[in-house]
């Protein structure tokens, strides 16, 4: 009986112009977004191939670009889907009421649930037709894109179908409430709008937050559009369908029965409670299943991170979010942002360790004197109360300075939003940053997890006592940014390392450190310092040594035992943009193996390409490769482009001229950074020597990826925790610009025209009969 009703309803749908109109409009919409995304890429690919013989691909997923980006098919179809569905469902039951056929249905031996399920089945079949239309362009994408990510497309198609089925269940219920089809359509629009926005309502209240977040339609297909199928999202759509079909059934039965209002309300309540119960149980992390359908598993933690999470085992891990009413990151830490915080930052980790416990501490404290100037005459608590009122926050949630100082030292974390991880009595911090990403990334979280697991933590010790670069100063020539700066994503402290300073002239070098850093000493090293560093090297200690032009004599006595010397003079490279002492040596192929940095991996894969590094004032290195160390050039100048200027260089005057009479030296190329290795005490000793220290200074962003690579190499790849992803294979098209334009005509004009012709013929024949 259900199938008979569904068959009849489908016949009614396709014997009316509404279904055909919606089909054609939907087809044209998909065609426009597909072809207008495909054609420009095909044109640019043709231009690149014509003009650049080395062009291989775009380096980015074209499946994502054409189908899933903000201008792609799925994003726009889902955005406009609520405009189609109410027009489709507005007459499902209200038409029966207006035509009087509902009485015939009630008087026939047909159960009410068979009517509801039959009509809904018919709409599900029509939804399959919409999915088939999307499928046309998916198949076209598989043909037009080389190695298209079909797994991602199938997951997105599932999300589309589940969403349209949820919309039609809502539309079916609204159709049962009124005899006016326009009112039914408007009611569907309104209900879909409310369910899409309800997730942002009353989020500051703990009890209501989870309820409204669960009921919200917004973002439910987001993971599926990225190729990640999550059981709780699939179950959510099933629950929504169940809930509104249940409402429809109660409504139709209630119209035929004379029952007290509270009985009818009790039935609705029973459906809602059962739906919420199913949703709550299915959303528990331990009961949630995940399927990453993408080719590169881009929605899943990297295997390096998974291994670390697995090592945590079943022991409890606590994550406490400390949110300061008077600090940075307040709005991301307030209760109304909690679900976003958990889903965007932590769901990837609860997938593999569901028993993570999340705590929240809200406080107020500051050392910002400008706040007291903005609120003259008010105490810290009074200022906090004013701020709470401004943010519409509950002041009773926030504890004062005395209470928070018993838990953590907020000043050491800059009074900003921060997370503390606790595991087996060990603690470490996860920080947030003032950039577009804000939250820590996978490499930061993985490093924090690994710090909780390791008894011995990696440590870089920076030598002091001879006016070396200082990690505690923020001047442009100092070294704080890449070492201990907590607000920098790339600093050692946020990548798993501890950093400290040591006056080697007065204290022995610890044997358990991972790297000793000697950066640009400005006075001659004492005999005690030389002796201690010499003994450290002889024992196999790793070291980073950086010098500067004009101060070669400070380091050359130490470097002599390594077979390396800083050459006298300053490297010169003339260019129309930079001062002459700004040289740009390139990264050698040997340097690409230092670490799993993305830039170095790209250079390794693209063997015919390289990257230049700006060194603001450098000297060259000479060496004899006959000692105990194997010496490798990591950075070197371009052949026959630079020379070594003897004597004092004046940078803000006329361009220097090469003068052999003054001792200037030209040769094929000048190495500026060397890597030294040897086997000693059962491991490989690693030393990096550079002829410039400024490229790792605060002004140069701490050396960025290259400095991280140096420290990773000296730590044998233990830290940082790299999470390299394979390059997408679907980065090139198989279609020419002419072919893309032909598809545009076929999909936008020819195919819809054929569907229009088919619909017209069918409707005319139906009218004649």
């Amino acid at each position: 009986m259900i199938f008979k009703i569904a068959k009849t309803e489908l016949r009614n749908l396709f014997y009316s112009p509404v279904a055909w109109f919606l089909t054609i409009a939907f087809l044209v919409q998909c065609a426009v977004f597909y072809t207008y995304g495909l054609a420009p890429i095909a044109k640019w690919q043709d231009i690149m191939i014509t003009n650049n013989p080395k062009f291989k691909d775009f380096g980015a997923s074209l499946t994502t670009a054409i189908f899933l980006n903000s201008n792609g098919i799925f994003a726009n179809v889902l955005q406009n889907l609520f405009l189609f569905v109410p027009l489709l469902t507005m007459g499902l039951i209200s038409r029966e009421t207006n035509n009087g056929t509902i009485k015939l249905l009630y008087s026939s031996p047909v159960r009410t649930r068979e009517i509801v399920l039959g009509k809904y089945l018919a709409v599900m079949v029509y939804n399959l037709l919409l999915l088939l239309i999307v499928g046309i362009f998916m198949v076209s994408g598989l043909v037009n894109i080389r190695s298209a990510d079909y797994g991602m497309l199938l997951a997105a198609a599932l999300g589309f179908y589940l969403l349209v089925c949820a919309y039609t269940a809502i539309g079916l219920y609204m159709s049962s409430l009124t005899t006016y089809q326009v009112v039914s359509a408007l009611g569907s629009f309104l209900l879909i709008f409310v369910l899409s926005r309800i997730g942002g309502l009353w989020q500051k209240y703990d009890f209501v937050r989870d309820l409204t977040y669960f009921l919200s339609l917004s973002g439910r297909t987001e993971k599926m559009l990225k190729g990640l199928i999550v059981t709780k999202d699939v179950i959510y759509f099933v629950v929504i369908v169940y809930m509104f079909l249940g409402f429809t059934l109660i409504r139709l039965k209630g119209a035929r029965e004379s029952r007290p209002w509270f009985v009818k309300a009790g039935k609705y309540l029973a459906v809602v409670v059962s739906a919420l119960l199913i949703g709550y149980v299915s959303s528990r992390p331990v009961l949630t299943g995940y399927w990453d359908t993408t080719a590169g598993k881009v929605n899943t933690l990297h295997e390096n991170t998974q291994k670390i999470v697995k090592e945590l085992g079943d022991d409890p891990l606590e994550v406490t979010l400390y949110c300061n009413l008077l600090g940075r990151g307040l709005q991301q830490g307030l209760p109304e942002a909690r679900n976003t915080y958990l889903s965007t930052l932590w769901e990837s980790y609860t997938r593999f360790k569901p028993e993570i416990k999340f705590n929240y501490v809200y406080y107020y404290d500051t050392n910002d004197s400008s706040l007291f100037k903005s609120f003259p005459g008010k105490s810290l608590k009074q200022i906090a109360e004013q701020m709470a009122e401004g943010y519409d926050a509950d002041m009773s949630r926030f504890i004062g300075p005395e209470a928070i100082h018993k838990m953590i030292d907020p000043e050491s974390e800059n009074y900003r939003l921060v997370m503390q991880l606790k595991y087996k009595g060990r603690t470490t911090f996860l920080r947030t940053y003032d950039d577009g990403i804000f939250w820590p990334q996978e490499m930061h979280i993985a490093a924090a997890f690994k710090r909780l697991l390791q008894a011995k933590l990696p440590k870089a010790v920076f030598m002091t006592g001879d006016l070396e670069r200082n990690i505690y100063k923020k001047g442009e020539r100092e070294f704080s940014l890449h070492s201990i700066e907590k607000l920098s994503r790339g600093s050692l402290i946020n990548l798993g390392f501890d950093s400290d300073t040591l006056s080697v002239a007065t204290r022995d070098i610890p044997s358990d450190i991972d790297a000793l850093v000697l950066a640009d000493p400005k006075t001659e090293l004492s005999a005690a310092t030389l002796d201690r560093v010499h003994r450290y090297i002889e024992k196999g200690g790793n070291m980073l040594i950086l010098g500067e032009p004009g101060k070669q004599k400070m380091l050359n006595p130490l470097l002599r035992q390594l077979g390396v010397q800083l050459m006298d003079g300053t490297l010169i490279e003339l260019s129309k943009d930079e001062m002459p002492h700004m040289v740009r040596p390139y990264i050698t192929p040997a340097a690409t193996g230092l670490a799993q940095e993305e830039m170095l991996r790209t250079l390794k894969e693209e063997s015919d390409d390289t990257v230049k590094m700006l060194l603001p004032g450098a000297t060259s290195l000479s060496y004899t490769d006959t000692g105990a160390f194997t010496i490798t050039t990591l950075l070197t100048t371009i052949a026959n482009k630079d020379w070594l200027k003897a004597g004092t260089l004046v940078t803000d005057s006329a361009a220097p001229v090469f003068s052999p009479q003054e001792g200037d030296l030209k040769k094929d190329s000048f190495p500026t950074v060397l890597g030294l290795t040897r086997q000693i005490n059962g491991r490989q000793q690693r030393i990096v020597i550079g002829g410039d220290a400024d490229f790792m200074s605060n002004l140069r962003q701490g050396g960025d990826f290259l400095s991280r690579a140096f420290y990773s190499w000296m730590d044998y790849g233990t830290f940082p925790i790299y999470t390299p992803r394979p390059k997408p294979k679907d980065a090139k098209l198989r279609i020419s610009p002419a072919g893309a334009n032909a598809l545009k005509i076929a999909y936008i004009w020819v195919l819809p025209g054929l569907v229009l012709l088919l619909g017209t013929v069918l409707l005319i024949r139906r009218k004649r009969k």
Side-chain angles (χ1 to χ4, degrees):
M1 184 57 67
I2 292 173
F3 287 112
K4 287 181 179 180
I5 295 174
K7 183 179 179 181
T8 303
E9 191 62 41
L10 278 172
R11 188 183 295 114
N12 290 334
L13 277 174
F14 285 100
Y15 283 154
S16 70
V18 174
W20 289 101
F21 168 76
L22 292 178
T23 302
I24 294 171
F26 186 77
L27 175 57
V28 171
Q29 182 190 24
C30 291
V32 167
F33 287 115
Y34 177 74
T35 56
Y36 278 76
L38 181 71
I41 297 175
K43 185 183 296 184
W44 277 110
Q45 178 173 291
D46 186 63
I47 292 172
M48 295 300 295
I49 292 174
T50 304
N51 294 279
N52 184 5
K54 295 182 179 181
F55 176 78
K56 296 180 180 179
D57 53 48
F58 288 102
S61 171
L62 297 184
T63 308
T64 301
I66 295 173
F67 286 92
L68 304 172
N69 278 353
S70 57
N71 294 322
I73 287 184
F74 282 105
N76 286 278
V77 164
L78 294 181
Q79 183 179 352
N80 300 324
L81 193 59
F82 75 98
L83 299 173
F84 291 89
V85 173
L87 299 177
L88 178 69
T89 60
M90 63 184 182
L92 286 176
I93 294 177
S94 59
R95 183 180 61 248
E96 303 282 0
T97 306
N98 285 332
N99 295 339
T101 52
I102 192 70
K103 296 179 180 179
L104 294 175
L105 282 173
Y106 285 158
S107 60
S108 63
V110 179
R111 298 172 181 173
T112 307
R113 67 170 178 268
E114 292 173 341
I115 298 173
V116 174
L117 293 176
K119 287 183 174 293
Y120 186 71
L121 179 61
V123 184
M124 286 183 67
V125 174
Y126 182 82
N127 294 343
L128 285 174
L129 174 63
L130 299 181
L131 182 62
L132 178 62
I133 292 173
V134 175
I136 293 173
F137 299 98
M138 289 170 55
V139 172
S140 181
L142 292 173
V143 174
N144 299 147
I145 303 172
R146 183 193 68 184
S147 303
D149 196 341
Y150 64 88
M152 183 184 293
L153 292 177
L154 291 175
L158 174 64
F160 164 79
Y161 186 70
L162 290 174
L163 183 62
V164 72
C165 285
Y167 282 174
T168 50
I170 294 170
L172 178 65
Y173 171 61
M174 296 307 297
S175 180
S176 71
L177 294 180
T178 177
T179 59
Y180 299 100
Q181 295 189 26
V182 174
V183 175
S184 172
L186 292 175
S188 299
F189 284 132
L190 180 61
L191 191 52
I192 291 173
F193 175 81
V194 170
L195 286 177
S196 298
R197 298 292 184 271
I198 197 173
L201 299 178
W202 310 300
Q203 291 295 290
K204 65 179 66 176
Y205 306 109
D206 294 337
F207 173 75
V208 183
R209 183 188 308 113
D210 292 336
L211 178 63
T212 56
Y213 189 78
F214 168 74
L215 290 175
S216 177
L217 276 168
S218 178
R220 287 293 177 174
T221 57
E222 185 176 338
K223 292 185 179 67
M224 281 183 266
L225 291 183
K226 295 178 180 179
L228 181 64
I229 299 174
V230 185
T231 55
K232 65 179 180 182
D233 289 334
V234 175
I235 293 173
Y236 167 81
F237 287 110
V238 175
V239 167
I240 290 294
V241 171
Y242 153 76
M243 188 164 66
F244 282 98
L245 290 185
F247 290 168
T248 307
L249 184 61
I250 294 170
R251 165 64 183 168
L252 293 180
K253 282 188 174 182
R256 302 171 61 187
E257 299 172 347
S258 178
R259 296 281 184 92
W261 68 268
F262 55 83
V263 175
K264 295 179 181 179
K267 291 182 179 180
Y268 281 104
L269 183 61
V271 171
V272 172
V273 170
S274 60
L276 293 177
L277 181 62
I278 295 170
Y280 175 80
V281 173
S282 64
S283 64
R284 296 304 88 195
V286 72
L287 298 176
T288 303
Y290 298 83
W291 182 17
D292 189 349
T293 63
T294 59
K297 304 301 177 187
V298 296
N299 300 304
T300 304
L301 293 178
H302 190 273
E303 58 184 12
N304 292 342
T305 309
Q306 289 186 47
K307 183 180 178 181
I308 295 171
V309 175
K310 188 176 181 180
E311 289 178 21
L312 292 171
D314 297 327
D315 296 296
L317 170 66
E318 289 187 21
V319 179
T320 303
L321 181 73
Y322 290 93
C323 180
N324 184 10
L325 180 61
L326 307 177
R328 292 290 187 93
L330 169 66
Q331 292 181 306
Q332 288 89 343
L334 287 174
E336 45 263 48
R338 188 173 299 175
N339 283 319
T340 303
Y341 158 71
L342 292 174
S343 62
T344 58
L345 183 61
W346 289 110
E347 187 171 359
S348 298
Y349 302 89
T350 55
R351 172 182 174 183
F352 295 97
K353 188 173 175 57
E355 65 276 5
I356 298 177
K357 182 181 178 182
F358 296 97
N359 304 317
Y360 307 90
V361 175
Y362 302 93
Y363 72 96
Y364 64 90
D365 194 9
T366 186
N367 61 356
D368 185 3
S369 60
S370 65
L371 265 179
F372 293 94
K373 295 178 182 178
S374 301
F375 295 88
K378 293 189 180 296
S379 66
L380 182 61
K381 185 175 183 180
Q382 289 172 329
I383 294 173
E385 289 171 346
Q386 293 294 313
M387 298 292 285
E389 183 179 351
Y391 285 110
D392 196 22
D394 183 3
M395 185 61 190
S396 63
R397 289 181 181 272
F398 297 87
I399 61 177
E402 291 184 5
I404 190 62
H405 278 267
K406 293 178 181 178
M407 300 179 183
I408 62 170
D409 177 14
E411 184 176 7
S412 66
E413 295 299 329
N414 301 291
Y415 295 100
R416 61 182 294 121
L417 189 74
V418 69
M419 291 152 283
Q420 186 184 53
L421 278 58
K422 186 176 182 179
Y423 175 80
K424 289 186 175 180
R426 297 174 184 164
T427 61
T428 191
F429 282 102
L430 267 177
R431 299 173 180 90
T432 56
Y433 309 95
D434 292 328
D435 55 22
I437 302 174
F438 183 75
W439 296 109
Q441 295 168 292
E442 185 176 342
M443 68 185 306
H444 304 109
I445 299 175
F449 284 170
K450 192 157 188 175
R451 283 179 63 87
L452 295 174
L453 289 166
Q454 291 195 179
K456 178 189 175 300
L457 299 176
K459 177 181 283 190
V461 170
F462 294 77
M463 290 177 58
T464 61
D466 292 290
L467 304 179
E468 296 92 343
R469 303 294 174 99
N470 197 307
I471 65 173
Y472 297 112
K473 293 182 180 180
K474 296 188 177 182
E476 62 181 33
R477 290 173 59 83
E478 308 303 340
F479 271 26
S480 64
L481 189 63
H482 86 265
S483 57
I484 64 168
E485 179 52 68
K486 295 178 180 179
L487 299 180
S488 171
R489 283 186 181 275
S491 67
L492 294 179
I493 194 172
N494 290 320
L495 297 175
F497 286 87
D498 286 338
S499 298
D500 203 352
T501 56
L502 180 70
S503 176
V504 179
T506 59
R507 295 176 58 190
D508 289 333
I509 302 171
S511 60
D512 61 344
I513 65 173
D514 295 273
L516 180 66
V517 181
L518 176 56
D520 186 25
K522 298 172 183 62
T523 59
E524 292 188 14
L525 304 179
S526 66
T529 300
L530 287 172
D531 179 62
R532 287 189 173 99
V533 174
H534 175 76
R535 283 188 280 122
Y536 172 79
I537 294 174
E538 286 301 308
K539 292 178 181 178
N542 297 337
M543 196 166 180
L544 172 62
I545 306 172
L546 301 174
E548 278 286 314
K551 289 172 276 188
Q552 290 91 333
K553 65 179 182 179
M554 311 303 176
L555 286 176
N556 278 340
L558 172 65
L559 296 177
R560 192 171 293 114
Q561 74 176 95
L562 303 175
V564 179
Q565 290 285 278
L566 294 170
M567 299 179 69
D568 290 334
T570 305
L571 284 172
I572 299 298
E573 182 175 307
L574 299 180
S575 71
K576 63 183 182 66
D577 297 313
E578 297 287 359
M579 290 186 290
H581 70 296
M582 299 284 195
V583 297
R584 291 182 175 272
Y586 67 89
I587 298 174
T588 66
T592 61
L594 291 177
Q596 288 293 309
E597 284 287 338
E598 183 177 358
M599 180 64 73
L600 297 181
R601 289 191 304 109
T602 301
L603 291 176
K604 195 172 185 178
E605 294 168 1
E606 306 289 340
S607 56
D608 57 345
D609 199 2
T610 188
V611 167
K612 298 176 183 177
M613 298 293 295
L614 179 63
L615 271 59
T619 187
S620 182
L621 301 168
S622 64
Y623 62 92
T624 55
D625 201 1
T626 57
F629 289 94
T630 300
I631 301 178
T632 306
T633 301
L634 303 179
L635 263 71
T636 188
T637 60
I638 298 175
N640 302 315
K641 188 173 183 179
D642 305 296
W643 79 84
L644 194 64
K645 180 70 176 175
T648 303
L649 175 67
V650 180
T651 59
D652 59 348
S653 184
V657 178
F658 177 71
S659 175
Q661 294 79 9
E662 296 179 3
D664 294 356
L665 175 65
K666 261 189 180 182
K667 63 177 186 176
D668 186 28
S669 61
F670 293 90
T672 56
V673 178
L674 300 175
L676 283 66
T677 60
R678 69 170 175 177
Q679 291 297 130
I680 185 171
N681 296 331
R683 71 170 190 173
Q684 186 183 67
Q685 184 180 14
R686 298 175 175 181
I687 298 174
V688 178
I689 304 174
D692 176 46
D694 286 333
F695 83 99
M696 288 180 63
S697 68
N698 296 340
L699 182 64
R700 309 307 308 171
Q701 299 298 311
D704 198 22
F705 71 92
L706 195 57
S707 66
R708 291 196 300 267
F710 290 158
Y711 289 107
S712 175
W713 187 59
M714 291 186 289
D715 192 37
Y716 304 99
T718 306
F719 287 91
I721 310 297
Y722 290 105
T723 57
R725 300 286 180 175
K727 284 190 174 182
K729 297 180 180 179
D730 56 334
K732 193 174 184 181
L733 293 179
R734 292 171 171 162
I735 191 170
S736 65
N741 289 327
L743 280 183
K744 186 183 294 186
I745 296 172
Y747 286 153
I748 296 178
W749 299 103
V750 177
L751 189 57
L754 293 175
V755 175
L756 177 62
L757 179 63
L758 175 64
T760 303
V761 170
L762 188 64
L763 291 174
I764 291 174
R765 290 186 61 186
R766 172 66 176 172
K767 188 174 182 181
R768 286 177 179 176
K769 290 182 179 180

